[in-house]
Amino acid sequence: MNNAINDLFEIDFSILLSIKSVHANRILNGTKHFELRKSAPKNTPRLVFLYDTDLAAITGWFLLKSIDIGTPKQIWEKVGVRACLLYTSPSPRDS
């Protein structure tokens, strides 16, 4: 058995992460390494299921390495452009 499968047998807590298809696909193909959220889960999960909001289905899962908690400035200093925050000014969400 590979290590990822062995790790599944030691999981205490998992979460369901609602996410759009484009971001879920990037997580699953390894090109997205950070997901920024306003709040952290109360318990640290090891297993994260991806709920694709465009497909209304669970489309994959991954084992979580870590959760970093901090102010937006602290998180930006740590992950910076690797978090792939690409917004125009004004933000597309403002329309």
Side-chain angles (χ1 to χ4, degrees), residues 6-89:
N6 285 336
D7 288 346
L8 288 175
F9 292 106
E10 298 177 11
I11 292 178
D12 297 338
F13 182 68
S14 62
I15 62 170
L16 185 65
L17 182 67
S18 295
I19 193 164
K20 293 196 171 285
S21 290
V22 63
H23 304 302
N25 291 335
R26 291 185 63 229
I27 288 171
L28 294 172
N29 73 24
T31 59
K32 181 173 173 56
H33 303 282
F34 301 98
E35 176 62 21
L36 303 180
R37 297 286 168 142
K38 288 182 182 179
S39 59
K42 292 178 183 170
N43 299 311
T44 302
R46 179 81 174 106
L47 178 63
V48 178
F49 291 98
L50 296 175
Y51 178 80
D52 186 315
T53 57
D54 297 321
L55 300 174
I58 295 172
T59 56
W61 60 273
F62 63 91
L63 296 174
L64 185 66
K65 290 183 181 176
S66 66
I67 294 178
D68 293 323
I69 298 173
T71 65
K73 182 180 179 187
Q74 291 168 330
I75 298 298
W76 183 255
E77 287 171 355
K78 182 165 185 158
V79 301
V81 294
R82 296 178 299 154
C84 298
L85 288 176
L86 302 175
Y87 291 107
T88 58
S89 183

